[in-house]
Amino acid sequence: MLNKKKRIVVNIILIIACLIIAFPILFAFIKATQTPGQVMSPRILPSGYLFENIKFVWTRYNLWGYMLNSFKISLSIMLGKTFLSFFAAFALVFLDFKAKKPVFIFILITLMMPTEMLIVGLFDIISLPSPTSFKDFFSWFIHPSNIFLSPVKFGFGWTDNLLSVIVPFFASATGVFLFRQHFRNIPTSLIDASIIDGAGSFRFIYYVLLPLSRNTIGALFVVQFIYAWNQYLWPRIIIRNSSAQVIQVGLKAIIGNAEGVEWGQVMAGTIISMIPPLIMLFLFQDQFMKGIAVSDDK
Amino acid sequence: MEHRSRFKARGLEVVFLLPTMLILILFLYYPAWQSIILSLFRSNLFLGTRKFIGFENFRNLFSGALAPAYYQSLLQTLIFSVMVIVPGLLISLVLANLSISLGKRGKIYQILLIWPYALSPAVAGTIFSFLFNPEVGAVNTLLGAFSNLQPRWLDNPILAFLLVVTACIWKNLGYNYVFYLAALQNVPRNVYEAADIDGAGVVRSFFKITVPLVGPVTYFLIFTNLSYSFFEAFALIDLLTLGGPMGFLPFDNTGVTTLLIYKIFQDGFGGSSNMGFASAQSVLLMGIIGLITWFQFKFADKNVHYGGE
């Protein structure tokens, strides 16, 4: 253990570091409580104007609409990703089939393919109108050169539709990887016992695997929710209608919207937008830390 | 791995894997392929016109009037990544090490340092653009209260670049801290006590014990941070600088904060809406990321020991 003198020094350094790191947020919060006049002054004491500021962005600048869209998207992605990657990893670890390795590599490679890099190609696939009749689609689809050698002709027609920001993110290499890692650490004896008891895959999943996977699931919930909540570039491009926009891009709209930005209101919106991911983080903090600790010695 | 595969598959593997595989093919692999195809076309986002032009988009990236801006953007992205990653990792490792060294009593700092993990680049960008706005910004207002100094943070190329770097480091601190904390939690404290008895100073035991011990995590973090500074910095730039301001010679062909991803956005979805040209840039970016990944795997086998299993 550290001696007393060192302990004090460490504490002082950490307190200063915490203050510096928290400063921009504290400052934003204080300014969110001030009247427009006070915001422009050097005053750094909180004031009583917070609810007026919130009320303004909430209704006039559609903050609530943005938040609601982000909620729908983030919860869908969080649940969908966790669900799909749980079963994919189950197949990769506990089921016997050929082509296991190529499938795993196929999934793993996508770790290095962030959507941001693919926006140009993805844009057409998502935004072009879908074929009007099956015959149209079939006569296009039947020629491989249409699919592989020329720009795509049909898409999903999802511009301004929340599906465009949800469905492409349902699959997750991170999730498959984390679950696979965790499943491989489960003692063989447990699997043997289940098989002797005559349990099939689903009973094994329900009675053994799920209870054992709480930490990994919790960690993934945090990671995926925050990832989805914080998305920016893709919704910025694919969603043009502000009623379908997400909160992160909404912040830019709020800044640009006002004639002469009211920064107190913008800061109020910013602070509000941080609350859901923070709640997720602290709700699942224990599972998150444990889940991460397993994952890093890949 | 094989000895664990106990359950009869009976086609379940298809049911379990198909959704994931379909989504990856439709929304990652196929768009990647489409980017390659589009890079061979002259294609306009708004007019919807498409004309096959072979490798002209790529030629335009490396020679001719448009090339200098691309080279500058490439160079800026590399400088930016190094300036974000090195201090970012160092700061978070020091903080993780300090808060661990306090034992149970350091728990409070863990909470106070983890929260930036929930921070989004857009929030960081919004707050920074208020703090450093030259006219009404908080920093200049405070400076004005006791000096005449009123720097134009976002118009000066050096200040603007440093500002984006700082915001980026700040935003990513929580992520790096979490991983270092998790890694250091498994290190027995008596290693440090032994070093202390041997008379190794704080700085010495940091570099001789802590840094090597977290080697694999640092390695992992370098690559996730690289991807972060290549892609996620977009929101910061879009809110803070819009890619500007113009730099000094030789950085005067495009804005100093126009990183590769922002340039793709500008060229493909901005004023000129030249999707083919943006595609060519995406394809090159894929090449760069592919190269880094290949390097990562090749290098990891030789130099990093992942414990256990």
Side-chain angles (χ1 to χ4, degrees), chain B residues 171-215:
Chain B
K171 195 259 128 191
N172 220 23
L173 219 51
Y175 178 86
N176 296 329
Y177 177 79
V178 164
F179 276 91
Y180 275 136
L181 201 62
L184 286 171
Q185 251 154 9
N186 302 322
V187 176
R189 296 316 296 174
N190 55 23
V191 178
Y192 290 95
E193 280 159 33
D196 202 28
I197 292 164
D198 287 350
V202 180
V203 177
R204 208 177 132 83
S205 57
F206 178 77
F207 282 106
K208 292 283 173 188
I209 302 175
T210 311
V211 173
L213 271 176
V214 296

Side-chain angles (χ1 to χ4, degrees), chain B residues 19-252:
Chain B
T20 294
M21 298 293 271
L22 262 182
I23 287 173
L24 293 181
I25 290 170
L26 266 177
F27 299 112
L28 290 171
Y29 280 100
Y30 194 50
W33 180 252
Q34 275 292 315
S35 303
I36 296 173
I37 297 293
L38 268 176
S39 70
L40 306 174
F41 283 74
R42 177 177 295 133
S43 164
N44 186 292
L45 173 65
F46 295 115
L47 303 176
T49 50
R50 280 172 190 151
K51 185 169 173 275
F52 183 80
I53 51 168
F55 290 102
E56 199 185 302
N57 285 322
F58 289 96
R59 268 197 299 276
N60 285 338
L61 280 176
F62 292 111
S63 62
L66 300 171
Y70 185 70
Y71 281 125
Q72 186 191 329
S73 174
L74 190 64
L75 187 61
Q76 280 164 187
T77 308
L78 295 177
I79 298 172
F80 181 79
S81 303
V82 174
M83 286 179 68
V84 166
I85 293 173
V86 176
L89 291 188
L90 201 63
I91 294 170
S92 43
L93 179 56
V94 169
L95 291 177
N97 198 32
L98 287 179
S99 48
I100 281 266
S101 76
L102 290 176
K104 278 217 162 63
R105 280 187 250 176
K107 266 271 189 294
I108 175 76
Y109 297 115
Q110 296 185 13
I111 295 170
L112 288 175
L113 290 167
I114 282 175
W115 70 263
Y117 180 81
L119 202 59
S120 78
V123 165
T126 309
I127 295 181
F128 267 61
S129 62
F130 173 44
L131 282 172
F132 292 96
N133 184 308
E135 282 89 28
V136 298
V139 171
N140 277 8
T141 314
L142 287 182
L143 280 176
F146 52 86
S147 76
N148 282 327
L149 218 55
Q150 294 286 298
R152 301 201 55 90
W153 296 96
L154 298 172
D155 299 337
N156 177 313
I158 292 171
L159 288 179
F161 192 79
L162 288 178
L163 209 59
V164 179
V165 168
T166 311
C168 208
I169 293 175
W170 178 60
K171 195 259 128 191
N172 220 23
L173 219 51
Y175 178 86
N176 296 329
Y177 177 79
V178 164
F179 276 91
Y180 275 136
L181 201 62
L184 286 171
Q185 251 154 9
N186 302 322
V187 176
R189 296 316 296 174
N190 55 23
V191 178
Y192 290 95
E193 280 159 33
D196 202 28
I197 292 164
D198 287 350
V202 180
V203 177
R204 208 177 132 83
S205 57
F206 178 77
F207 282 106
K208 292 283 173 188
I209 302 175
T210 311
V211 173
L213 271 176
V214 296
V217 180
T218 303
Y219 194 72
F220 163 81
L221 285 176
I222 288 176
F223 289 97
T224 50
N225 276 257
L226 208 56
S227 157
Y228 164 76
S229 56
F230 265 62
F231 300 111
E232 277 195 68
F234 177 88
L236 276 175
I237 297 165
D238 198 34
L239 278 154
L240 265 178
T241 61
L242 295 171
M246 279 302 173
F248 313 115
L249 209 74
F251 289 93
D252 58 346

Side-chain angles (χ1 to χ4, degrees), chain A residues 106 148 186 192 232 236 248, chain B residues 4 6 29 33 120 238:
Chain A
F106 186 86
F148 292 111
I186 287 174
D192 289 337
Y232 185 88
R236 164 107 160 76
Q248 305 298 326
Chain B
R4 289 183 172 277
R6 299 298 173 87
Y29 280 100
W33 180 252
S120 78
D238 198 34

Side-chain angles (χ1 to χ4, degrees), chain A residues 111-123:
Chain A
L111 269 182
M112 281 299 147
M113 296 165 72
T115 305
E116 287 94 336
M117 192 168 76
L118 308 172
I119 45 170
V120 188
L122 191 58
F123 186 82

Side-chain angles (χ1 to χ4, degrees), chain A residues 21 25 28 42 51 56 74-75 87 143-144 191 199 203 283 288:
Chain A
I21 291 168
I25 299 291
F51 289 101
F56 207 86
S74 309
L75 289 175
F87 284 101
H143 297 294
I191 305 158
R203 281 182 61 188
L283 218 56
F288 175 59

